[in-house]
């Protein structure tokens, strides 16, 4: 039974609707539009200022996928050893993964442009030094010494692009679409970059891959850094009244993004995903060589990568009703199951078609996990630590790749070509245990949610 006051309100509403029918129609249209609007890629790419950082960002991130393969090809040419070339390349990759979060932290504190401008010049100099050491037949220890700064100074463009998306889209459904778009772009980069580097090293000069890597890093990095209008406000500016607040530790100093427990859980999850990438690359190479068909290695890994890209496109196009925490806890077990199927199939016999199909399935399961991890970390860490947080995840992928390729290679050498596929299974299995044990850390610690009301408009909604 309604109160007299309520009946009076209903009467007033009916009178207003009768007096202004066009206004009533507009209100109903707006609600209908809001209910049916989907956070698709078209809407994402129409975000104000997006193209100003997407195009230079796409160019500037290509060297990230060219660096390690270019080092392998140059060092193998000058030393004649793939083993030594791989070790030097891994040294650069580990240095990149360890130092990247620190450069991200500096970018959060001082601004992306302030970090990128000196970083790209320093990277070009360290690449030149590595080329000189390799070409001039310097002692082997010099190669490892030169590889450390070459990897450590590599610009982290992908996390910076993700941080720009997060700054513009925080709290909107488009954040998942942006994460999916970036995953597709990264996957495409890792398809094009190695092919370009290999063509330059084999067709022009063994050092041409690294020369191109340094040149594109310099030009692309400078153009990207010049787009200051779209970069997130630095923590220093936030402290002076800007929007981005710095992250403080218990002692009052600036804390790392890893101070957030959920961020550490996501790093473990992404490490497992990295082991899938590294383990699949080495294991497929060993498998195809063992069956006498090394030429299909590219096709089989391409099927895995295609599955990853297709799933990433689909994840970004869907308007999810479940939260990212639920999606991750549902998607990761599927990834572990797919890795288990691939490992078992590799033991059954030289069935390349079956293994290729299951590899595609594994790729389909990778993208939802990866995208959700990047979506989640944006909700867990403070705004002033976004770039650092994203670089921890990309660094974890690199470390996982190095670990996965190393473990898979050792298993393939000592237990047969098919044994290498147990490396992705082990990595994802351990990561799943961490996710399940610490799943409570995946929820934001504050007591409010952010509800989207159009791009650039966010309202804090209290939660009972």
């Amino acid at each position: 039974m309604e109160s007299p006051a309520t009946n009076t309100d209903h009467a007033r509403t009916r009178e207003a609707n009768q007096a202004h029918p066009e206004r009533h129609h507009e209100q109903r249209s707006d609600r209908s539009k809001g209910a049916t609007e989907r956070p698709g890629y078209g809407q994402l790419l129409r975000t104000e200022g997006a193209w100003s950082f997407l195009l230079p960002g796409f160019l500037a991130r290509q060297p990230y996928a060219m660096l390690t393969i270019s080092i392998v090809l140059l060092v193998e040419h000058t030393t004649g050893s793939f083993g030594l070339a791989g070790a030097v390349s891994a040294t650069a990759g580990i240095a990149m993964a360890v130092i990247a979060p620190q450069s991200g932290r500096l970018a959060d504190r001082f601004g992306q442009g302030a970090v990128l401008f000196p970083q790209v010049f320093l990277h070009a100099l360290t690449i030149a030094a590595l080329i000189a050491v390799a070409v001039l037949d310097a002692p082997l220890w010099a190669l490892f010494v030169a590889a450390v700064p070459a990897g450590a100074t590599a610009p982290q463009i992908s996390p910076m692009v993700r941080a720009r998306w997060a700054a513009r889209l925080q709290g909107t459904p488009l954040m998942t679409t942006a994460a999916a778009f970036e995953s597709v772009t990264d996957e495409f980069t890792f398809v094009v970059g190695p092919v370009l580097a290999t063509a330059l090293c084999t067709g022009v000069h063994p050092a041409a891959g690294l020369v191109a890597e340094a040149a594109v890093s310099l030009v692309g990095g400078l153009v990207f850094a010049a787009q200051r209008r779209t970069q997130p406000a630095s923590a220093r500016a936030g402290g002076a009244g800007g929007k981005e607040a710095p992250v403080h530790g218990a002692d009052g100093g600036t804390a790392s993004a890893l101070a957030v427990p959920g961020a550490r859980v996501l790093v473990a999850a992404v490490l497992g995903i990295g082991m899938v990438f590294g383990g699949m690359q080495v294991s497929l190479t060993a498998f195809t060589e063992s069956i006498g068909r090394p030429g299909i290695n590219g096709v089989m890994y391409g099927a895995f990568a295609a599955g990853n890209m297709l799933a990433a496109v689909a994840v970004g196009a869907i308007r999810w009703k479940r939260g990212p925490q639920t999606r991750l806890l549902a998607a990761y077990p599927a990834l572990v199951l797919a890795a288990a199927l691939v490992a078992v199939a590799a033991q059954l016999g030289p069935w390349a078609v079956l293994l290729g199909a299951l590899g595609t399935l594994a790729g389909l399961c990778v993208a939802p996990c990866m995208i959700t991890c990047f979506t989640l970390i944006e909700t867990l860490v403070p705004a002033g630590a976004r770039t650092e947080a994203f670089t921890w995840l990309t660094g974890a992928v690199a470390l996982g790749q190095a670990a996965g390729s190393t473990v898979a290679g050792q298993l393939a050498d000592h237990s047969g070509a098919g044994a290498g596929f147990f490396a992705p299974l082990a990595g994802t299995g351990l990561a799943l245990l961490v996710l399940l044990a610490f799943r409570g850390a995946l929820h934001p610690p504050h007591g409010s949610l952010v509800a989207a009301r159009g791009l650039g408009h966010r309202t804090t909604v209290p939660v009972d």
Side-chain angles (χ1 to χ4, degrees):
M1 180 176 180
E2 294 181 342
S3 66
T6 303
N7 290 327
T8 301
D9 291 340
H10 288 336
R12 289 175 179 173
T13 300
R14 285 194 299 270
E15 291 174 0
N17 290 339
Q18 292 172 357
H20 302 281
E22 70 285 349
R23 182 183 305 171
H24 179 53
H25 177 72
E26 290 174 359
Q27 291 171 346
R28 286 192 302 173
S29 299
D30 289 343
R31 287 196 298 269
S32 175
K33 181 179 179 182
T36 59
E37 190 174 14
R38 297 171 64 90
Y41 292 104
Q43 184 184 359
L44 176 73
L45 297 178
R46 290 193 296 271
T47 301
E48 183 181 359
W51 287 102
S52 67
F53 65 84
L54 278 183
L55 292 179
F58 179 77
L59 173 66
R61 79 173 72 194
Q62 297 305 314
Y64 189 82
M66 298 172 64
L67 179 60
T68 54
I69 186 63
S70 297
I71 293 175
V72 167
L73 295 173
L74 174 60
V75 175
E76 190 279 330
H77 175 79
T78 57
T79 65
S81 170
F82 272 108
L84 180 61
V88 174
S89 177
T91 300
I94 292 173
M96 182 194 308
V98 171
I99 300 300
Q102 310 312 316
S103 66
R105 191 174 181 181
L106 291 174
D108 285 325
R109 185 175 183 183
F110 299 103
Q112 293 181 0
V115 172
L116 268 180
F117 276 115
Q119 187 176 32
V120 293
F121 285 104
L122 187 58
H123 182 63
L125 291 175
T126 58
I127 290 296
L130 178 59
I131 293 174
V133 168
V135 172
L136 297 176
D137 294 326
L140 294 180
W141 61 264
L143 286 171
F144 288 94
V145 171
V148 172
T153 58
Q156 300 298 310
I157 301 297
S158 179
M160 291 185 177
V161 173
R162 292 177 185 270
R164 294 189 184 215
W165 280 125
R168 304 185 78 79
L169 304 177
Q170 180 184 10
T172 76
L174 282 174
M175 264 310 303
T176 298
T177 308
F181 182 83
E182 288 304 306
S183 292
V184 173
T185 305
D186 285 340
E187 191 67 33
F188 183 76
T189 296
F190 276 92
V191 171
V192 174
V195 172
L196 177 60
T198 301
L200 290 172
C201 290
T202 57
V204 180
H205 188 276
L210 282 178
V211 172
E213 189 274 344
V216 176
S217 287
L218 183 61
V219 175
L222 289 176
V223 174
F224 180 80
Q227 311 306 312
R228 294 184 179 274
R229 188 174 64 87
T230 57
Q231 75 173 5
S234 65
R236 174 169 289 188
K243 295 181 181 180
E244 305 290 330
V247 189
H248 295 295
D251 59 354
T254 303
S256 168
L258 286 187
V260 178
R264 299 195 292 270
V265 176
L266 293 176
V267 166
V270 174
L271 270 171
I273 296 173
M275 288 196 69
V276 175
F277 288 124
M280 289 292 288
Q281 288 174 345
V282 172
S283 299
L284 286 173
T285 301
F287 176 82
T288 53
E289 289 183 357
S290 70
I291 64 175
R293 302 177 65 186
I296 67 171
N297 177 43
V299 176
M300 295 188 70
Y301 190 79
F304 167 76
N308 190 10
M309 292 181 66
L310 288 173
V313 172
V315 169
I318 295 173
R319 183 165 190 169
W320 297 97
K321 296 181 180 179
R322 299 286 184 180
Q325 296 86 358
T326 303
R327 300 202 305 268
L328 182 60
L329 292 174
Y332 218 94
L335 175 59
V336 176
L337 177 59
L341 292 175
V342 171
V344 171
Q347 316 309 311
L348 298 178
W351 297 343
V353 175
L354 174 61
L355 198 61
L358 291 175
T360 304
L361 175 63
L364 289 169
C365 295
V366 164
C369 298
M370 180 78 82
I371 292 167
T372 308
C373 285
F374 277 97
T375 303
L376 258 177
I377 203 166
E378 185 270 332
T379 68
L380 294 174
V381 302
R386 283 195 191 113
T387 308
E388 182 198 351
F390 289 135
T391 52
W392 274 115
L393 293 191
T394 55
V397 173
L399 284 177
Q401 283 181 300
S405 60
T406 301
V407 173
Q410 292 295 320
L411 289 173
D413 287 341
H414 294 92
S415 303
F421 291 100
F422 284 106
L425 176 58
T428 54
L430 291 173
L432 178 59
L433 292 178
V434 174
L435 276 176
L436 294 176
F438 300 99
R439 60 185 180 276
L442 298 178
H443 295 272
H446 50 76
S448 64
L449 297 176
V450 179
R453 295 191 177 179
L455 294 182
H457 297 84
R458 300 183 289 276
T459 304
T460 301
V461 181
V463 178
D464 294 333

